Amino acid sequence: IKIFNIPIILFIVSAIFILPYLIKGGILTNGESSIPINPSYINYYLVWADKLNYGISSPSQTNIFLYSIIRSILHPFSFIADPSVIFIFLSFFLSGLFLFICMERILNFENKYVYLPACLLYSYNVFRTLGPLVERLNLLFIFLPLFFLLYYRLLQTRKWRYVFWLTFISIFSSSMAGNLPLFTIPYLLMFLYLVYFILFSGQFKKIWKTIISRNIVLALLIFIGNIFWIYPLAIYLLMQYRQLVEG
């Protein structure tokens, strides 16, 4: 029962956070993205073309198409609240929930309430609440604990299923790729843990071939899985490079 108490608390806190929008029937949005304002009008392959690129098509944003899938999944629940409000609720609730699952699987403390302060601080830090509807940042906070947990399990067990699960969440969270420094954070985290594992695990020398092979395959699968936005982005940057006379 104690295991379920934490998710229930996180659910209630997240519901309180969006309560004003439920009461008023409002829509949650911000100045950086017009996606939640009029999603039926937006062409997800050319997002921000009406503002950032002065009406010029930008193939570098093809990755944002995945956000339209998320919104389509949430649309049948519009009778509860606008999909943008549901999305912000899930982004805070799932962030805390996945961090709880990550810590519970790795640390396994008997007193589960020890995890609660960390989950709340992770979900409701000042950086997030200042701009609550930045979809790429929300996806980062949702998936970052899963990236770490799955990679932790990969190094501990060396099972191939974790390679494929990591590839899947990499593709599903690739809307973060619109902000490349943000997109690289999960992989930087994985790399830092790999360095830690090599230096302090005490078993790397015995299994180094297995670890290296798993990481090489993982890197290749993540690259291939994300080629749908890497390729048009590369073409777009090369086009800019030529237009600026190789500036």
Side-chain angles (χ1 to χ4, degrees), residues 42-49 57-65 228:
I42 296 295
N43 180 345
Y44 288 97
Y45 290 100
L46 305 175
V47 70
W48 289 0
S57 299
S58 172
S60 65
Q61 300 295 340
T62 53
N63 53 290
I64 202 64
F65 178 72
F228 72 96

Side-chain angles (χ1 to χ4, degrees), residues 23-247:
I23 295 174
K24 298 289 186 180
I27 180 173
L28 193 65
T29 186
N30 67 7
E32 287 195 5
S33 176
S34 55
I35 292 174
I37 299 175
N38 192 1
S40 61
Y41 175 77
I42 296 295
N43 180 345
Y44 288 97
Y45 290 100
L46 305 175
V47 70
W48 289 0
D50 57 334
K51 183 175 106 174
L52 188 65
N53 302 300
Y54 303 102
I56 300 172
S57 299
S58 172
S60 65
Q61 300 295 340
T62 53
N63 53 290
I64 202 64
F65 178 72
L66 292 174
Y67 182 74
S68 69
I69 298 176
I70 296 174
R71 189 177 180 91
S72 298
I73 295 172
L74 298 178
H75 185 71
F77 302 95
S78 297
F79 66 94
I80 300 174
D82 185 85
S84 66
V85 178
I86 300 176
F87 178 70
I88 196 66
F89 164 78
L90 290 175
S91 69
F92 283 97
F93 171 63
L94 293 179
S95 297
L97 178 64
F98 288 156
L99 182 64
F100 168 70
I101 293 173
C102 177
M103 292 190 296
E104 202 276 330
R105 295 291 176 86
I106 295 175
L107 301 176
N108 199 25
F109 289 144
E110 183 177 353
N111 185 356
K112 307 304 178 184
Y113 291 103
V114 171
Y115 306 127
L116 184 57
C119 295
L120 292 173
L121 182 62
Y122 179 71
S123 291
Y124 299 96
N125 60 75
V126 176
F127 183 63
R128 293 200 70 191
T129 53
L130 284 176
L133 195 61
V134 182
E135 69 281 345
R136 294 156 184 174
L137 185 64
N138 290 344
L139 289 173
L140 173 69
F141 274 86
I142 290 173
F143 286 106
L144 194 58
L146 293 182
F147 271 105
F148 182 79
L149 176 60
L150 292 172
Y151 192 68
Y152 171 86
R153 295 296 297 165
L154 172 63
L155 294 189
Q156 296 296 325
T157 66
R158 278 82 66 189
K159 292 183 178 179
W160 283 107
R161 66 186 183 194
Y162 295 111
V163 171
F164 296 110
W165 274 114
L166 282 164
T167 303
F168 173 76
I169 66 170
S170 169
I171 297 170
F172 194 73
S173 63
S174 63
S175 287
M176 294 187 299
N179 185 328
L180 291 181
L182 191 68
F183 182 78
T184 59
I185 290 176
Y187 307 103
L188 176 62
L189 179 67
M190 291 158 59
F191 173 75
L192 292 175
Y193 183 68
L194 176 61
V195 172
Y196 174 84
F197 183 83
I198 292 172
L199 295 177
F200 301 107
S201 68
Q203 53 178 327
F204 179 73
K205 292 182 179 180
K206 300 178 182 179
I207 56 174
W208 67 272
K209 291 183 179 179
T210 305
I211 294 295
I212 291 177
S213 65
R214 299 295 189 273
N215 278 276
I216 290 175
V217 172
L218 175 62
L220 288 174
L221 288 178
I222 289 176
F223 177 78
I224 294 171
N226 288 276
I227 199 70
F228 72 96
W229 65 263
I230 293 176
Y231 177 75
L233 176 61
I235 296 299
Y236 178 66
L237 293 177
L238 286 172
M239 182 179 65
Q240 281 190 326
Y241 178 70
R242 296 190 186 98
Q243 290 176 343
L244 295 173
V245 195
E246 302 180 355

